[in-house]
Amino acid sequence: MKTDIFLYNSLTRQKEKFVPMSEGKVGIYVCGPTVYNHSHIGHGKSYVSFDAIVRFFRFVGYKVFYVQNITDVGHLTDNADEGDDKIEKEARKDRVDPMEIVETFMRSYFEDMDRLGVVRPDISPRATGHIVEQIELAKALVTAGYAYEAGGNVYFDVAKFPEYGRLSGKKVDDLIAGARIDVRSEKHNPADFAIWKKAEAGHIMRWPSPWGDGFPGWHLECSAMSMKYLGQTFDIHGGGLDNQFPHHECEIAQSEAATGKPFVRYWLHNNMVTVNGTKMSKSLGNFVTLKDAFARFDPTTIRFFILQSHYRSPLDYSNGAVEGAGKGLERLKNVIRQLKELGADPMAETDFDRLPEEPVNLRRYYSEWLGAMADDFNTPAAIAVLFEMLKDVNTLIGSGAPMPAGGATLLYGFIRTLAGDVLGIIPSEAGGGAGRKDIEMDLVNLLIKMRADARKGRDFKLADSIRTELQNIGVILEDKKDGTTTYKVEK
RNA sequence: GGCGACGUACCCAAGUGGUAAGGGAGAGGUCUGCAAAACCUUUAUGCGGCGGUUCGAAUCCGCCCGUCGCCUCCA
């Protein structure tokens, strides 16, 4: 391992040194989306954050097994016990099969994540694909006396699990005191939550079970699937802070009651996104979808914006803030472009064990970057280190001093690895002159040549006209010091 | 009402006991036919307010003010 990693464990409310269960390996489960709508900027923050975390673990040398579920049944509109199934509700509205809704939005989700540069999980298990496992878990809980059946529903008996509330810092008594009027008298205790729901007549998504036709409760899937793929006890469970209670609390209760073993060793929770200062939520209807954001900003800019604040800090989304981030990112991209022009070999591997201190002190910058990331994945601090390094690189390039042999390649590889491979904030076509191909590229180059001729003849009126007209269709020309002109395509 | 976070320059945002990172914007400069872009320099004696602990606090403690979140679906 390149370094020890310290992370903030929600369970103990303090930073702890990460010690894996199995040397060199780490198992991570992150709560995935319920696929009944397009993903919003909050999903973006959550999955980009965990993507950076996973990438960093891999960079440091861990073999990571990353599981992230897709919720395609059981998530109700009101809470774990009441309301319609979110997916089934959408399906009714559109008069389609629920699985069509699932398919549509699951694809939409992956499409958005791909654009954000989120590396796909190793497994994306779906709740409907694990009904058997969920029924088995429910049966085990009933058998062990932790759950009971009532009218075709199965509830977890919170009173039997004294640890309930530990993760979120809540007391069952307080919950009961603050609970809404309990209309379901069949529950032993108002705080009990459903692990299996009876399917009423007309309910589309249903499966046979020992308690009659029904469907699994939302919390149950994460227990069943995480333990199936990662074991009864595993290293890291992540998710949004809003799921800490009740979702994760319920997962712990179900899992530990069933196995008698600790469920998760480190809990990681990312903070929420607000929009112009207020919370974004589906019920308020003020959420910004990622597709909305992409219509305005480059996905890499969104990713950069997200990683410029800490995953445990709230993030306020506003056009101005993202624009500012985008301009900062341009500097990074520009350096990449310049290093390419200086002949950097993009394929060369970087040896991080043998970094030079001259002419840029890469050894020091690497050490600082690594320290920031290892300290609870402090991506904003890590990015700041990269920008400090950028200043040195720019000074070096601007000084006109000869670049040492392999210098451009080394600097390029350094940035490429830390900013690109780990943080994912360098788009794959970074710094390339062209954003379009073939004939369009040739046409632009033709116009550039015509403009160069006009300038040579001091016909600045024509030259400026060409520049302006190109700008009007989104092609920005930039005259270089050596007399050449490059262009970039505006998003 | 219960629980928990947070409040750092014009904006965004690191920093959890040793004397304020980074980005944007602004200002000055280099370059340029001009422009754009790029690059360089610069911008908080102070970290919501008032007390306290300490040789020393943005960092710890107390109170107050303000914002946000969870307690009901949400990443």
Side-chain angles (χ1 to χ4, degrees), chain A residues 2-3 56 59-60 365-375:
Chain A
K2 294 184 172 77
T3 182
F56 183 64
F59 173 75
V60 166
Y365 286 125
Y366 175 60
S367 164
E368 289 179 1
W369 180 90
L370 197 63
M373 288 299 289
D375 181 14

Side-chain angles (χ1 to χ4, degrees), chain A residues 48 64 121-122 135 140 183 190 192 205 224 242 263 266 359 406 488:
Chain A
V48 163
V64 178
D122 296 305
I135 289 175
V183 294
D192 290 353
M205 289 190 282
D242 52 347
F263 176 48
Y266 303 92
K488 63 184 178 183

Side-chain angles (χ1 to χ4, degrees), chain A residues 262-275:
Chain A
F263 176 48
V264 168
R265 303 174 62 240
Y266 303 92
W267 282 91
L268 264 42
H269 288 99
N270 66 276
N271 217 314
M272 302 290 98
V273 172
T274 53
V275 174

Side-chain angles (χ1 to χ4, degrees), chain A residues 20-94:
Chain A
M21 292 176 67
S22 180
E23 177 75 32
K25 294 179 182 172
V26 50
I28 302 181
Y29 185 91
V30 173
C31 287
T34 301
V35 283
Y36 69 105
N37 208 335
H38 291 296
S39 303
H40 53 66
I41 194 76
H43 294 104
K45 173 171 164 73
S46 185
Y47 300 121
V48 163
S49 297
F50 285 109
D51 180 58
I53 288 169
V54 166
R55 286 177 183 231
F56 183 64
F57 268 112
R58 291 196 169 122
F59 173 75
V60 166
Y62 285 96
K63 174 95 176 77
V64 178
F65 189 41
Y66 180 22
V67 180
Q68 185 195 100
N69 66 298
I70 295 285
T71 298
D72 57 358
V73 69
H75 198 165
L76 306 187
T77 50
D78 294 339
N79 59 43
D81 305 336
E82 303 291 335
D84 298 328
D85 186 292
K86 292 179 181 219
I87 286 158
E88 192 158 320
K89 187 182 175 190
E90 286 298 310
R92 283 184 205 286
K93 206 162 68 183
D94 297 349

